[in-house]
Amino acid sequence: MNTVKENLEILKFSYRFTKEQNIPVYAIFLFHAISEPLPAIFSVWFTAKITALISVQEPPHSVLVHAFIGVTLIFILTIIKRIGEHFYFKKIDILTVKEKAYVSDIISKKDYALLEKTDFQLLFKTYDEVASNYGCSVIRFYFMFLTKVMSGFIGLVLSLLIILPSLKTLFVFDNNTFITSWKPAVLTIICIILFGIIMGITGNRLANFWTKLHEETQSSYSMFMYWLSFTENYKQGKDIKVYRAQKLIQQEYDYWQEKSLKLTRKTIKKIIPLRRIIGIFTGLIVGTLYSYIALRAAIGLLSAENLVAIVGAVPLIINGITQLSNLPFLTKTLCKYVGYLKRIADYDSDRYMGTIPVEKRDDNDFLIEFKDVSFKYPNTDTYALKHVSMQFKIGEHLAFVGTNGSGKTTFIKLLCRLYDPTEGEILLNGINIQKYNMTEYMSLFSVVFQDFSLFAVPLSQNVSTSVEYDNKKLWRYLEKAGIANRVKEMPKQENTVLYKELDDNGVEISGGEAQKIAIARALYRNAPFVVLDEPTAALDPISEFEIYERFNDFTKDKTAIYISHRLSSCRFCDKIMVFDNGQIVQFGTHESLLSDENGKYNQLWNSQAKYYISKVE
Ligand code: ADP
């Protein structure tokens, strides 16, 4: 359970959240919390006043004038309440979208290496499961209950304040009869205190039930959503159809749905008696209160005005206490859930982000050096790279070859500072790359990873990775990447939306076309280092040949790294680096590497050449 200090931190965080999102929800929610109980409270006060006027036989026209003023004020207060409600509901719904946007914004700004840490992933998974249970927003529920509690508190205090003078008359005693003695008054006060305590306890128990239920159902609910997502994602439709996976998917989501429903039913079974107890106690307390008040009124100890005020205020007080009984749910459950979001936002990378600006050079005179670099991925014990030492000269075109899992992509990830070496250091122009401002340093690289992603936005925005783009530059690189003709055939050319997720008129593209667009994106960035990781894997032989042909041209004045399984496609590079089991085992030109008959390169080359020869034969 959160401490008071932690809950105050959450309150501060939620305030910071709304400030960052530029939504003045605090003012709006406070306005709603105050305006909500006002018409009812004023009605009670005003009815008592009118009763008083009638009791003292005020002339009818004076009563009418007072009634008119009162009704007008109630009308105005009701309008104010409605305005408060209107803005409240408008803002509360926006919170869901804002929270999603906030989460994706903070995640996209987090250090890449952090996203792979087990404790961060667990924290994010927990938050994600809770949020999906709460309609994708924990902040929304937090504010809803915070407003309920505030409104309950304000309503309770105001109701007590307006009936305070009337309440005083309940405490005038003579000791002639039991009813007029202090005893029933004390009994009634005890009843009210008991009611408050019972509501507090039941509110707490209800909060525990809901928290436990959500914790128990979280994993089955997210499994249910996982399986459900298959049926909703049209891109997976082919595999589902071909492998007749419908039954498997249905069985899985039926199973997980039933599991979470079972738990819900179990909890509801416990909650129903609790709700009954609350109902019975509320009835008993209200009954006792009304009986006591009625008896005092019957024997003339309570004026009509005070009777009306107290009888009218009782439901308001009960309602205030009921709203306040949401406090445990707010402070225990919702604060804990918003706490997950806060921890995600506050989770800082322990990596040094660097401060030195990267020198902007027209001649791209950059020298990279790996000095005895070794690397283990987070949460693993084995080295993906071992004692790698090498330098690349400016403008050099390098090819990385090696079997799967030999460490080629890992080398690129370290080069781009997605991770820092576990041992050793990487230098840029003699300075450890960790000392450079990370964002500036990263902008030196254009990388097409094997698992690149394109987005369901216009093609132009995919290439420029921005809403604005330079049309001439865009077409130049579409041309270079060999995709310009295909784009010219698209319904809206460069403005055509890719994929159908967000636009019915979006176009579906093949894997090879997507790869060419990703290459155009890398070129558009015009960074001094270009890295293509298996850029031709999804391309047909003709497109593959075109890419090789153009590679030297579009990386003319740049340092380029080309990773490929097809050794024949690496021959056009100046030097080839051979990776094996996390190490660079050979480095040189195609001819020199091939001439070492016992070397890995020769072995790889011959195994591929043999394959082609046997096919031709
Ligand atoms: P290559 O690009 O040569 O195919 P990688 O550099 O991708 O090889 O992988 C090198 C080794 O690191 C492999 O054993 C792979 O399983 C491991 N590896 C790659 N990515 C991760 C990761 N995110 N977490 C843990 N291990 C990884």
Side-chain angles (χ1 to χ4, degrees):
M1 192 182 140
N2 283 359
T3 60
V4 175
K5 194 172 161 236
E6 280 165 339
N7 284 342
L8 287 176
E9 289 289 325
I10 301 289
L11 194 68
K12 249 168 62 189
F13 166 76
S14 64
Y15 177 69
R16 212 173 68 209
F17 169 87
T18 57
K19 250 185 110 180
E20 276 173 32
Q21 306 300 315
N22 274 332
I23 32 178
V25 284
Y26 264 93
I28 287 168
F29 292 172
L30 190 66
F31 181 74
H32 173 59
I34 297 170
S35 62
E36 217 261 338
L38 277 187
I41 292 169
F42 182 76
S43 299
V44 172
W45 179 81
F46 156 75
T47 318
K49 283 290 154 233
I50 292 289
T51 314
L53 291 178
I54 296 168
S55 322
V56 294
Q57 294 182 339
E58 191 83 0
H61 72 270
S62 161
V63 175
L64 271 175
V65 169
H66 278 90
F68 177 75
I69 296 170
V71 170
T72 313
L73 277 175
I74 291 174
F75 180 67
I76 294 169
L77 286 176
T78 310
I79 289 180
I80 294 173
K81 175 182 154 172
R82 292 274 176 254
I83 293 173
E85 265 173 9
H86 171 78
F87 284 109
Y88 168 77
F89 285 114
K90 222 170 134 182
K91 292 294 170 198
I92 203 106
D93 284 340
I94 289 175
L95 285 177
T96 309
V97 187
K98 290 283 181 187
E99 183 174 326
K100 279 198 131 201
Y102 177 77
V103 171
S104 74
D105 186 46
I106 51 175
I107 293 291
S108 64
K109 286 181 184 151
K110 292 256 179 251
D111 179 20
Y112 181 79
L114 182 73
L115 306 183
E116 273 202 296
K117 279 190 153 186
T118 315
D119 47 352
F120 183 79
Q121 284 180 346
L122 263 176
L123 173 65
F124 188 75
K125 186 170 175 278
T126 315
Y127 160 75
D128 199 41
E129 285 174 355
V130 168
S132 58
N133 245 332
Y134 279 86
C136 296
S137 172
V138 289
I139 285 271
R140 183 177 189 273
F141 271 81
Y142 175 77
F143 277 116
M144 264 169 67
F145 278 82
L146 185 65
T147 315
K148 266 180 197 250
V149 169
M150 278 197 304
S151 173
F153 179 73
I154 292 166
L156 182 66
V157 171
L158 290 181
S159 310
L160 285 173
L161 277 180
I162 60 148
I163 60 160
L164 205 60
S166 309
L167 277 182
K168 275 190 209 154
T169 63
L170 280 180
F171 295 91
V172 178
F173 310 114
D174 65 39
N175 288 325
N176 295 339
T177 61
F178 175 76
I179 284 298
T180 57
S181 73
W182 55 269
K183 289 172 199 152
V186 171
L187 272 177
T188 312
I189 291 171
I190 292 173
C191 278
I192 294 173
I193 293 171
L194 261 180
F195 177 68
I197 294 172
I198 286 165
M199 288 306 278
I201 295 172
T202 47
N204 197 31
R205 293 214 69 183
L206 278 175
N208 287 345
F209 280 145
W210 287 125
T211 315
K212 199 162 164 250
L213 175 69
H214 289 148
E215 274 158 16
E216 283 175 349
T217 51
Q218 253 160 43
S219 57
S220 33
Y221 184 72
S222 58
M223 288 299 281
F224 167 67
M225 293 305 282
Y226 170 78
W227 286 103
L228 197 67
S229 71
F230 278 112
T231 53
E232 289 165 357
N233 189 343
Y234 76 101
K235 283 190 175 164
Q236 285 155 345
K238 291 191 294 295
D239 297 304
I240 294 173
K241 281 262 174 291
V242 169
Y243 295 104
R244 295 174 193 272
Q246 297 95 326
K247 211 166 164 199
L248 166 79
I249 293 168
Q250 180 137 16
Q251 266 171 359
E252 286 291 341
Y253 75 62
D254 280 351
Y255 171 79
W256 291 109
Q257 184 187 34
E258 187 48 36
K259 200 166 172 191
S260 85
L261 281 178
K262 241 187 206 162
L263 288 165
T264 311
R265 281 196 286 264
K266 208 170 106 192
T267 307
I268 289 183
K269 258 189 197 159
K270 287 182 191 159
I271 284 172
I272 290 173
L274 211 63
R275 289 226 181 274
R276 282 203 189 118
I277 292 173
I278 297 173
I280 292 167
F281 267 95
T282 314
L284 276 176
I285 303 290
V286 175
T288 315
L289 264 175
Y290 280 157
S291 314
Y292 176 59
I293 294 161
L295 280 172
R296 280 188 72 97
I299 54 176
L301 282 178
L302 201 61
S303 68
E305 172 196 355
N306 291 332
L307 179 69
V308 168
I310 295 170
V311 168
V314 168
L316 298 181
I317 292 168
I318 302 254
N319 180 50
I321 295 174
T322 313
Q323 300 269 49
L324 268 178
S325 70
N326 287 309
L327 191 63
F329 186 62
L330 175 76
T331 54
K332 275 179 137 180
T333 315
L334 295 175
C335 277
K336 185 170 151 191
Y337 294 166
V338 177
Y340 296 146
L341 185 60
K342 178 177 177 298
R343 273 166 59 202
I344 291 173
D346 294 346
Y347 211 114
D348 257 340
S349 169
D350 45 14
R351 293 210 298 161
Y352 182 58
M353 292 293 143
T355 51
I356 305 180
V358 175
E359 200 185 348
K360 304 265 179 302
R361 304 186 68 114
D362 290 339
D363 58 1
N364 280 345
D365 194 0
F366 295 107
L367 176 69
I368 290 272
E369 185 180 3
F370 273 57
K371 273 178 117 177
D372 199 18
V373 170
S374 299
F375 176 71
K376 279 194 257 188
Y377 278 97
N379 322 311
T380 61
D381 294 327
T382 45
Y383 280 95
L385 276 188
K386 284 174 268 184
H387 304 292
V388 170
S389 292
M390 56 87 66
Q391 269 192 7
F392 19 125
K393 294 201 188 100
I394 307 313
E396 242 178 1
H397 290 177
L398 304 172
F400 287 6
V401 299
T403 46
N404 280 336
S406 56
K408 303 179 296 291
T409 307
T410 306
F411 181 99
I412 301 300
K413 289 181 188 166
L414 291 184
L415 175 67
C416 305
R417 256 213 101 184
L418 291 179
Y419 299 95
D420 287 333
T422 315
E423 287 141 37
E425 55 179 356
I426 305 168
L427 310 176
L428 170 72
N429 293 349
I431 298 173
N432 190 322
I433 59 169
Q434 294 177 26
K435 294 190 177 153
Y436 289 106
N437 175 296
M438 195 190 252
T439 320
E440 278 192 31
Y441 175 78
M442 282 183 159
S443 65
L444 294 176
F445 299 90
S446 276
V447 188
V448 180
F449 282 107
Q450 286 173 40
D451 52 354
F452 64 88
S453 341
L454 295 179
F455 314 109
V457 296
L459 182 135
S460 53
Q461 294 179 15
N462 267 292
V463 175
S464 65
T465 51
S466 154
V467 180
E468 279 117 33
Y469 63 95
D470 175 336
N471 202 38
K472 249 174 134 178
K473 192 171 151 193
L474 175 89
W475 281 101
R476 187 163 69 241
Y477 291 121
L478 289 176
E479 198 75 57
K480 280 186 188 259
I483 186 80
N485 285 342
R486 168 74 174 100
V487 178
K488 279 177 195 155
E489 284 166 8
M490 288 182 180
K492 291 190 194 162
Q493 302 212 338
E494 78 274 17
N495 294 318
T496 308
V497 170
L498 298 186
Y499 310 117
K500 294 202 181 288
E501 275 112 324
L502 304 181
D503 189 335
D504 290 345
N505 298 321
V507 294
E508 288 299 332
I509 48 171
S510 71
E513 287 165 347
Q515 210 153 22
K516 287 179 182 174
I517 296 170
I519 291 174
R521 175 170 67 185
L523 299 177
Y524 186 95
R525 186 166 178 180
N526 202 14
F529 290 85
V530 178
V531 182
L532 304 183
D533 190 351
E534 285 288 336
T536 55
L539 299 184
D540 57 66
I542 296 171
S543 307
E544 189 182 335
F545 181 70
E546 280 174 14
I547 294 283
Y548 301 150
E549 287 260 277
R550 292 182 181 141
F551 184 72
N552 279 324
D553 169 39
F554 59 59
T555 56
K556 215 170 24 215
D557 49 352
K558 298 178 195 304
T559 306
I561 299 174
Y562 190 87
I563 305 179
S564 181
H565 275 114
R566 273 176 272 228
L567 301 199
S568 56
S569 65
C570 300
R571 278 190 299 184
F572 60 90
C573 290
D574 303 325
K575 294 261 176 65
I576 298 169
M577 231 183 270
V578 186
F579 281 75
D580 190 30
N581 199 18
Q583 286 176 305
I584 298 177
V585 289
Q586 279 182 295
F587 184 33
T589 60
H590 169 72
E591 287 72 23
S592 70
L593 293 180
L594 204 57
S595 65
D596 179 358
E597 285 181 13
N598 298 320
K600 183 83 188 166
Y601 188 79
N602 188 294
Q603 183 196 337
L604 288 170
W605 177 266
N606 283 323
S607 61
Q608 286 193 2
K610 229 190 290 168
Y611 176 75
Y612 286 116
I613 292 161
S614 67
K615 283 272 164 196
V616 173
E617 281 168 0

